[in-house]
Every structure is written in C-alpha cells, then in structure tokens.
Amino acid sequence: TFEIVYGSCALLNGVLIDMIPPKHLLIAALLASGGVNLAIGSTSSLALMVLLWGSNGFAQSFGWPSITNIFLAWFPDPASRGSWYSLLSTCQNAGAALVPLAVSATVARFGWRAALYTPAVCTGLMACVLALLLFGSPAAVEACYARKDEARSSREARAQPKLGSGGLVRTLGRHVLLNGELWLMAVSYFCISLVRTCLSDWSAIFLHEAKGMPMHTAARCLFAMESGGFVGSLVAGAASDRIFAGRRGPVVCICSALLAPALLAILTLSNGLALQAAYAWVGFCAFPVHVLLGLFSREVTPAHLSSSAGGFVKCIAQVGGAVAGLPLGMLQQRAGWHGVFVLTTGISAASALAALPLWFTTAQGATISARHGTVADFQQMQRGMGKSGGSAASLAALDTTARPLRHKKRL
C-alpha cells in the first residue's frame, strides 16, 4: 500500500509542491508521517493499519521533493551543485543503516510498537528544529531580516507564478508532459529502477539457487551493492560538476553503459569475493543514475514546475520497480536466471541509449559565479549583511527564484 500510494502521489502532488513554500510543506509532511506512525502503533485493526500505512506513503511523498526545492533555491549554480546534491542523497543510505540500530534497541525494551513510536518521535523533533532554523530560500532570509511583508509578497509572487487552471494545464503540458528530454530521462530511470529492484529483491534467491551460496553470502553481496552505490553517488556528482561542467547526461549515459557488463559478470562468476566485487560495481553504476536523474529532471524545467517534472520522472521509475516483481518472476519460471540477466543487461543498454541524446543538455537558469554553497560564501553573505545593515542587497544577488529562466547555450 505504501509503495502504490507513494508512487501515484509522486506524479499527482508535484503541482501542489510547486505552489506551497517547501519549508512549510516539509514540516507538515514530517508531522503527518509521525502522527500516522503513532496511530498505527495504537491500533490492532489490520484494515486500519493498511489504510494508515497508505496515508504514510502520501505524507512521505511530499518530503524529498520539498527538500529538493529548498536545495535548488540555495544552490543555484548547476556547475557546482551536483556534488552537494549527491552528498545530500546519501541521507537515504545513512538512514537505512541507522534504522536497525536505533529501532532494534527500543523494540527490545518496549516491544514492537516502539518500531513505530521511535520514528514518530524523531520526525516530530526534526520538524521543530526545521521550524526554528530552516530558511526555504535566500528570499526567506531576506524577508526575515527585513521585516517587510510587501517585499516578501512581491518576491514570492515572482518566484511562484500564479496561473489559472487553464494556464496551468497548458504549462504542464508544454514543459512536462510534452518535454522530450523528460521522457528520455523517464525511460532511463525506468530501466535503472527495474534493474536495481530486481537485484535487491531477487539476489538472495538467485545466489542460493544458481550459485549454491548461503544466505550470509547473499547478504554480503547486497551490502557491497549499497556500499558501492554510496561511493558511486558521490563520485558521479563530483564528475558531473568538475568534468562535464554541470551536465548530468554524460554521467548517466556512462554509468548505464558500464552497468551491463557487471550484470553479465554476476551471471557467470561463481567465486564469492568476485561476486561481491561485481555487486559493488553494480551499485557504483546504478545508484548515480538514480540520484542524478532526480536532479536532472528538475534542472531542465522552469523553477516553478521542478517538482512536477521530478514527480513525472519518478512515477515512471516506480513502474519500472513494479515490473521487477511479478513480470520478472514469470520470466524466470520460463527462461531461468540466464534469461533474467540477459534481459536486464539489455535494459541497462537501453538506459544508456535513452540518456545519450541528453549528453549536451544543460540546466535552465543563469549560472551564478562564486556561489557554491561553501562556508566562504555564507561568510561573505554575512559580511555583506553587516555592511548594509540588512540582508536585502546581499541576498538579492544569491536568489535566482525571481530571475527569468533561460536555456543556456548548448555546448
């Protein structure tokens, strides 16, 4: 239920995410998710648990898009934000690693309901921290320091264009649904999501049936894949910035192409260490595509439609993950594991081909020089605030939300 609702809402709630200040939406999503977890832990009805778990998927579907909108507001330079976005994305790996440690200790002491109460308490505390300390954009800092509601209203009006229902539908159709670049990203994302989900869900069975390996060896292979993905995401983000000047297409294409031989290696290898290395290579190549396409899809559309574009691509990716379940299981029954891995190898090659036309695609919006989100940047901002007696002059130069978007010249 969670996955179905989460995937569906990834497409449907993009428009809402683009209209509401991301800080407020993120805090509301955290509080709602925490409340749902508390409600699940307080009931014994299975039907109600299923309904509430689906509601949790709805609440959490607003989380990452809101974080991404805040990130894009603070890191407007496409030539430097890939590294920071990759670092930000590792929170998913870190959270997955911390959950067994934090939850198992509370469950052992307070029972199974603590597995729901512990995340609820954490989300509530984090929502309070964000409410006190987080600014959704440089414009929000300016409004806080300037205390001028007129300036804030004017800036927000320019940052988030007000469209009627007809204008909104036409804009979404032109910039999202009929955007060829987004469709190519969606195809690539679909393929990579299918391959990742296939390996995550079926590796334990595959390694036991086809390789005769015990479960602890399969667990080490999956751990190697996650570790490789962690490193690969960081390397890919830095490469897209420093080697390709903010272009994500080359990295997505190269990683997708390098994924194919790794899948064939998993099919043919029989040594445990060699298999772990192959799984690490799969993670190193597959995870960067997942990370960068989330950013890339938002960079090629106007800022006020970024979540709609990201949600569209993510929804197609969720379909790919679903295909890795029953359809691939039916294929395995007919063609065996050899057929499954030959198919996933071809799908990886298809992902690379879909990303190839995006090789020279660049982000929309003006690049701001010397604005990389470093400590020196914020120190310079604070010095400017001190000299000017406020933040309007210094932060206006950092905020791109009010600037007209334009396509950069293609390389």
Side-chain angles (χ1 to χ4, degrees), residues 220-221 224-225 228 262 265-266 269 271-284:
R220 283 198 291 265
C221 288
M225 185 173 73
I266 291 175
L269 292 174
N271 179 269
L273 290 177
L275 276 170
Q276 291 177 45
Y279 268 89
W281 184 251
V282 167
F284 186 87

Side-chain angles (χ1 to χ4, degrees), residues 50-70:
V50 172
L51 178 62
L52 289 172
W53 198 240
S55 302
N56 195 22
F58 174 76
Q60 292 197 26
S61 68
F62 290 92
W64 186 252
S66 300
I67 294 173
T68 304
N69 279 4
I70 295 171

Side-chain angles (χ1 to χ4, degrees), residues 355-369:
L356 185 60
L358 302 172
W359 190 280
F360 296 105
T361 301
T362 56
Q364 283 198 7
T367 299
I368 299 183
S369 59

Side-chain angles (χ1 to χ4, degrees), residues 64 81-94 192 196 225-241 248 251-252 255 280-293 295:
W64 186 252
R81 65 186 172 201
S83 302
W84 295 107
Y85 187 81
S86 297
L87 180 62
L88 176 66
S89 299
T90 59
C91 68
Q92 302 174 56
N93 305 86
I192 294 300
R196 277 191 56 193
M225 185 173 73
E226 294 289 336
S227 302
F230 182 88
V231 177
S233 298
L234 296 177
V235 172
S240 68
D241 287 344
R248 322 299 172 198
V251 179
V252 172
C255 288
W281 184 251
V282 167
F284 186 87
C285 295
F287 279 70
V289 179
H290 168 83
V291 170
L292 290 182
L293 283 178
L295 174 63

Side-chain angles (χ1 to χ4, degrees), residues 47-380:
L48 185 57
M49 284 184 178
V50 172
L51 178 62
L52 289 172
W53 198 240
S55 302
N56 195 22
F58 174 76
Q60 292 197 26
S61 68
F62 290 92
W64 186 252
S66 300
I67 294 173
T68 304
N69 279 4
I70 295 171
F71 171 86
L72 292 176
W74 280 103
F75 294 83
D77 189 354
S80 65
R81 65 186 172 201
S83 302
W84 295 107
Y85 187 81
S86 297
L87 180 62
L88 176 66
S89 299
T90 59
C91 68
Q92 302 174 56
N93 305 86
L98 289 175
V99 164
L101 300 177
V103 174
S104 60
T106 56
V107 169
R109 181 163 187 155
F110 301 106
W112 69 269
R113 296 183 189 274
L116 297 164
Y117 294 154
T118 302
V121 172
C122 292
T123 55
L125 293 176
M126 182 53 62
C128 294
V129 171
L130 295 179
L132 294 173
L133 302 179
L134 178 66
F135 291 101
S137 67
V141 184
E142 178 182 346
C144 178
Y145 280 91
R147 305 292 184 185
K148 293 181 179 180
D149 293 335
E150 297 82 7
R152 176 174 58 186
S153 301
S154 175
R155 188 171 295 276
E156 288 179 351
R158 293 194 299 268
Q160 299 177 355
K162 304 297 182 182
L163 297 174
S165 58
L168 179 61
V169 171
R170 287 193 298 270
T171 302
L172 286 174
R174 182 170 66 254
H175 291 288
V176 178
L177 298 180
L178 299 180
N179 190 324
E181 293 173 340
L182 285 182
W183 275 104
L184 289 172
M185 294 180 204
V187 171
S188 181
Y189 208 167
F190 172 94
C191 296
I192 294 300
S193 181
L194 189 154
V195 172
R196 277 191 56 193
T197 306
C198 172
L199 291 177
S200 298
D201 293 352
W202 294 101
S203 284
I205 300 175
F206 161 71
L207 293 173
H208 178 69
E209 292 183 354
K211 308 291 184 180
M213 293 186 173
M215 292 299 294
H216 64 82
T217 302
R220 283 198 291 265
C221 288
L222 291 176
F223 177 79
M225 185 173 73
E226 294 289 336
S227 302
F230 182 88
V231 177
S233 298
L234 296 177
V235 172
S240 68
D241 287 344
R242 301 181 183 182
I243 299 177
F244 298 105
R247 289 180 289 129
R248 322 299 172 198
V251 179
V252 172
C253 182
I254 293 171
C255 288
S256 299
L258 293 177
L259 184 58
L263 293 170
L264 292 177
I266 291 175
L267 178 63
T268 57
L269 292 174
S270 57
N271 179 269
L273 290 177
L275 276 170
Q276 291 177 45
Y279 268 89
W281 184 251
V282 167
F284 186 87
C285 295
F287 279 70
V289 179
H290 168 83
V291 170
L292 290 182
L293 283 178
L295 174 63
F296 198 10
S297 60
R298 290 169 168 85
E299 289 183 324
V300 299
T301 52
H304 62 283
L305 296 174
S306 61
S307 294
S308 301
F312 169 73
V313 174
K314 179 64 176 178
C315 182
I316 303 298
Q318 291 290 113
V319 176
V323 172
L326 179 61
L328 276 190
M330 297 174 62
L331 174 65
Q332 193 278 331
Q333 294 294 323
R334 297 191 177 188
W337 291 112
H338 184 273
V340 170
F341 275 87
V342 169
L343 176 64
T344 52
T345 300
I347 289 174
S348 300
S351 175
L353 290 176
L356 185 60
L358 302 172
W359 190 280
F360 296 105
T361 301
T362 56
Q364 283 198 7
T367 299
I368 299 183
S369 59
R371 174 69 185 104
H372 307 301
T374 62
V375 174
D377 291 324
F378 287 98
Q379 289 175 344
Q380 182 181 2

